Structures are given as C-alpha cells and as structure tokens.
Amino acid sequence: MGAAAAGQSGRPVSAGASPDPRPAQAGLVVSDLTDFEDGVSAVDTHYVRPRLDASHLIVHRGRAAFVDTGTAHAVPHLMAALEAKGIAREAVDWVLLTHVHLDHAGGAGSLLAELPNARVAVHPRGAPHLVDPTRLVAATRQVYGEAAFARLYGEVRPIPEQRVVVTEDGARHALAGRVLEFLHTPGHALHHQAIHDRAAAIVFAGDTFGVSYRDFDVDGREFIMPATTPSQFDPDQLHASIERIVGLRPRAVYLTHYSRVRDIARLARDLHQALRDYVAIAHQHANDQARARRLQDEIFAYHSRALDTHGYAGTVGERHALLDEDVALNVQGLVAWLERRAAT
C-alpha cells in the first residue's frame, strides 16, 4: 500500500464536484486527476488518505481502460474521472488488474456494473476470487472486523465469469490497437502481474516495484520502499520480478502507491538493497518474543534513516503518519515469510 503529493511531475486537473449521490469514502465526489504523457492519468481513489492509492486511466483513440480500481468506495471517483475526460462509460473496454488485493481490485465488480462494454483482465490465480469473492472477503473481514471492513472496502461484488479474461504470462490484449502485454511478477503476491506498454515504454507495476509516495519527493527525486505485505511475500521472487521490469527498459513505471516514477535504475537498486536489509532484519529477530514489535520499530527506523539520506525534512510525527501503515503491513509479510520458512 502507498500514497503521494509534492514533486509529482504532471499536470493536475482541477477538481470538479459531481452531484453523484452515491457514497464515497472521501465524501464529496471529485475528478481528482493528474495527467501524464501517452494518454495516462492517475485518479486518486481516496483510499485511507489522499494520494495513497491510484487507479490509472488510459485513453487511446477515444477508447479507455482502467488499471486497478481501488475499493468500491472509489467507483464514484473513477466515474467522475471519465466525465472530466469526456469519455462515455460505453467507451471503456478494459479493467486491468495487477492483482486482487482489495485496495487494488475491491471495486472491480462495482465498476464493471457501471461499464457495459468492459471486461476485466486478471492473473489466473486471481480470477476465481473475482467470480466468487467470498473467501477473500471473509479472510479480510476476519483481519479488520466488520465495521472497519465496511469503512475501508464497502461491498465487494462478484463479476460474471463471461466478463473475466484470464491473462497467462506473455498474453497480449489491445486497447484500440494499442498493445498491452501481461507479465507475471510474483514476490508481492503469487497472483500479481505487470502490464507493459511497449510502444509507450511504460509499465504498470502494481506493488511489485514498491511504494513511492509523492510526499517524500525531494527536488524531483523519488523515494521508494518495498511492499512485502502478507501472505505470499517471497524475497527471491520479488528480486526476480523487479529485474524483469527493469529489463523492459521503461521510461516510466506507474505504481498504485503512488503513480509515476522515472528514475528506474536507481529505484531498482534501492528496492533490491531494502529487500536484502529486510531479510537480514527479519532473521535477526526471528526468535524474539516480541518479534513483530521489534521488527516494526527496526523497519521504521531503517526507512527514517533512508529518508534522512534522501534529504526529506519531515518530522518524526509526519514520518509515522505516512509510513506506519506500510511498515505494519510489511512486517506482517515478513513474519508470514519467516513462519513459512520455519514450517519447511
């Protein structure tokens, strides 16, 4: 999970209020857009806080696709974005999912209900959870509780099987002639894929290429951290998937948390180093009685030191506000990985 603000190079579109009465987590429905090249716009889904979770809208020759959807609460924001861009809902051909974690795909069913011609493209391991989200919802409710689940995610609606397109590794689909290639990128999750637009030299990487909040940008330089959330985090797979993305030589990578990064080689080096350091820290505390608490303190301190080196001047309180949720999730993933290793 991740978010962003200052230093995001792109042209913010002025927010326009919509009279749509449907509930949205952030309250008033706005077309909160940042436009980039190649017909790509970031849409803030307003998950948890502003500029934490982005859906990306691709517009090409009058047709459109969304990459990731956010939660069901995001749907009014996505529809407002279409209105702001002058795109009819009938002109949306695709909803492309990097993976089925609910901050990325929880709103897919609700969004498809608004888009009569759209199909959803998803990794083979993720497809069953779209058609029947019962197990995914039950597991998430168990973690968060009923009230928090409703506040964070809303209704997770099933998608008719005939509207689900399963994307094998290397599959290609077109948006008005614009070819998009789907590449399986495990490490964050086994059902993760990245979407490569070879002609534009861009990649939509979901969580595989980490989390980069625009709040941490300093003089246009981006800061990045891995996303090691439970329950399928695997460092070796994630190293390999990061290298697969780098090997595509993209001009830019679009992250769900949050949007475009461009210093790809440096950020990849930082991700690899952070993953190695995470593993070392996890091993160091593997047998501690208060393992999760120690790991959380260590990982926060690790990234706070990295932010100092990066030149970020925010206070300790500001760092906690921006990092704590990600650090907690990353520690849960590290603990789950340690437990899997111990079991085998």
Side-chain angles (χ1 to χ4, degrees):
M1 191 175 73
Q8 178 77 5
S9 53
R11 180 172 55 81
V13 177
S14 58
S18 164
D20 193 329
R22 289 171 294 182
Q25 188 180 35
L28 188 66
V29 179
V30 294
S31 54
D32 195 349
L33 291 167
T34 303
D35 286 346
F36 302 99
E37 306 87 18
D38 309 305
V40 177
S41 300
V43 186
D44 192 339
T45 73
H46 292 272
Y47 175 70
V48 179
R49 68 172 187 261
R51 292 182 302 250
L52 184 146
D53 187 86
S55 171
H56 287 98
L57 175 64
I58 309 171
V59 178
H60 184 67
R61 296 177 182 170
R63 309 302 295 182
F66 284 104
V67 181
D68 287 346
T69 67
T71 72
H73 296 304
V75 171
H77 298 288
L78 305 185
M79 299 307 295
L82 290 178
E83 183 179 354
K85 302 295 285 183
I87 301 295
R89 62 186 64 199
E90 292 82 7
V92 180
D93 293 332
W94 289 103
V95 172
L96 312 173
L97 299 179
T98 60
H99 59 305
V100 300
H101 288 168
L102 294 182
D103 55 327
H104 295 253
S110 296
L111 183 62
L112 263 289
E114 302 286 348
L115 306 175
N117 297 322
R119 294 180 292 166
V120 60
V122 65
H123 189 287
R125 288 177 177 264
H129 297 290
L130 298 184
V131 176
D132 182 4
T134 306
R135 288 178 55 198
L136 184 62
V137 168
T140 310
R141 277 201 176 109
Q142 187 173 6
V143 171
Y144 288 97
E146 187 68 39
F149 180 92
R151 184 179 72 253
L152 286 169
Y153 302 113
E155 182 185 8
V156 180
R157 299 175 63 175
I159 297 173
E161 191 169 4
Q162 64 270 24
R163 299 186 72 181
V164 176
V165 176
V166 171
T167 45
E168 300 293 344
D169 187 44
R172 295 181 179 185
H173 294 285
L175 174 67
R178 181 172 174 170
V179 176
L180 304 170
E181 185 176 15
F182 297 79
L183 304 173
H184 292 184
T185 50
H188 175 78
L190 289 171
H191 54 272
H192 202 294
Q193 60 186 4
I195 300 155
H196 181 211
D197 183 336
R198 189 181 301 273
I202 59 178
V203 175
F204 298 91
D207 285 349
T208 294
F209 206 75
V211 169
S212 180
Y213 296 132
R214 304 281 64 77
D215 307 73
F216 292 139
D217 288 354
V218 175
D219 297 329
R221 289 184 300 108
E222 302 135 345
F223 178 84
I224 206 157
M225 58 189 288
T228 67
T229 50
S231 59
Q232 297 173 342
F233 164 64
D234 182 280
D236 293 336
Q237 289 180 339
L238 193 50
H239 279 299
S241 291
I242 291 166
E243 279 306 292
R244 189 175 194 189
I245 290 171
V246 172
L248 300 172
R249 303 178 65 84
R251 290 186 298 108
V253 174
Y254 288 89
L255 315 176
T256 304
H257 315 293
Y258 183 87
S259 203
R260 187 178 69 174
V261 295
R262 293 189 291 181
D263 195 356
I264 307 305
R266 177 182 64 83
L267 295 176
R269 288 194 299 271
D270 290 349
L271 283 171
H272 284 308
Q273 186 61 55
L275 282 171
R276 288 190 290 269
D277 292 339
Y278 269 33
V279 167
I281 293 167
H283 282 310
Q284 181 183 351
H285 297 290
N287 298 315
D288 287 2
Q289 291 248 332
R291 177 174 59 185
R293 180 71 260 170
R294 293 290 300 275
L295 284 173
Q296 196 154 332
D297 291 344
E298 289 261 8
I299 297 295
F300 175 83
Y302 174 85
H303 287 302
S304 192
R305 291 191 298 270
L307 283 168
D308 288 339
T309 302
H310 181 64
Y312 176 70
T315 66
V316 172
E318 289 167 336
R319 296 174 192 217
H320 276 294
L322 293 168
L323 288 176
D324 277 0
E325 180 68 20
D326 289 290
V327 168
L329 287 168
N330 281 358
V331 166
Q332 290 174 31
L334 287 169
V335 169
W337 171 71
L338 285 171
E339 290 176 348
R340 286 201 312 273
R341 285 174 58 86
T344 57

